[in-house]
Amino acid sequence: MRPLSEKSFEIVAGARRFRAAQIAEVPTVPVRSVNLSDAEALEAQLIENLQRRDVHPLEEAQGFRALLNLDEPRYSVEQIPAKTGKSPAYVTTRIKLTELSVPIVDAFYAEEIGVGHALLLTKLQPDQQRPRSVISICRRIRLPPCY
């Protein structure tokens, strides 16, 4: 956790463990307080999320994009793999997912399309990404899920 003010804190890592402790009605949990900048906290959160098995590809993409959007320090696509342990191609491919239109994002989260389909759709302009037509085409030609 990191202090935000004298009376407020932000959980940087371990949020799921903290929620589990609350559900189990554990009165106290061990924490470590660390002074982190916004960029350092974001980086730590991204790295922790990448270690989860159930992280959605779009959540990864949004984390990578958030690092690129920071003002200070400035991250490049080449620096992110060194911080996260992912390959440059993996990071670049995931970042493309942030270019999806909202309806396609919704279809992706609903598992109506897989990551392979979503990546193909990033080649289209957002106004050309129509979920109903894309999903019906995938079903009509019996495209297997691309996860």
Side-chain angles (χ1 to χ4, degrees), residues 1-12 32-38:
M1 70 163 201
R2 72 176 182 146
L4 297 176
S5 68
E6 252 184 63
K7 295 186 180 191
S8 68
F9 298 89
E10 175 185 33
I11 297 174
V12 176
R32 192 175 99 190
S33 180
V34 181
N35 289 320
L36 299 172
S37 68
D38 290 343

Side-chain angles (χ1 to χ4, degrees), residues 79-106:
Q79 292 170 309
I80 294 173
K83 296 282 186 182
T84 61
K86 302 291 183 182
S87 73
Y90 182 90
V91 171
T92 302
T93 302
R94 284 298 192 251
I95 289 171
K96 288 180 188 284
L97 292 173
T98 63
E99 299 168 10
L100 293 169
S101 66
V102 172
I104 295 296
V105 166
D106 293 342

Side-chain angles (χ1 to χ4, degrees), residues 47-141:
I47 291 167
E48 183 194 26
N49 271 344
L50 289 176
Q51 294 171 359
R52 288 179 25 217
R53 291 177 194 233
D54 63 343
V55 65
H56 193 278
L58 200 50
E59 291 174 11
E60 284 181 312
Q62 291 164 339
F64 295 146
R65 174 65 67 193
L67 285 177
L68 288 175
N69 290 344
L70 285 174
D71 289 330
E72 200 53 47
R74 296 291 299 167
Y75 283 89
S76 67
V77 174
E78 295 77 28
Q79 292 170 309
I80 294 173
K83 296 282 186 182
T84 61
K86 302 291 183 182
S87 73
Y90 182 90
V91 171
T92 302
T93 302
R94 284 298 192 251
I95 289 171
K96 288 180 188 284
L97 292 173
T98 63
E99 299 168 10
L100 293 169
S101 66
V102 172
I104 295 296
V105 166
D106 293 342
F108 191 17
Y109 275 124
E111 297 182 1
E112 294 172 351
I113 62 171
V115 68
H117 299 128
L119 287 168
L120 286 172
L121 292 170
T122 63
K123 297 176 188 229
L124 300 174
Q125 294 298 317
D127 63 329
Q128 296 174 313
Q129 299 173 10
R130 294 182 190 94
R132 286 193 180 127
S133 58
V134 168
I135 293 166
S136 66
I137 289 169
C138 290
R139 286 183 182 148
R140 193 172 330 124
I141 62 174

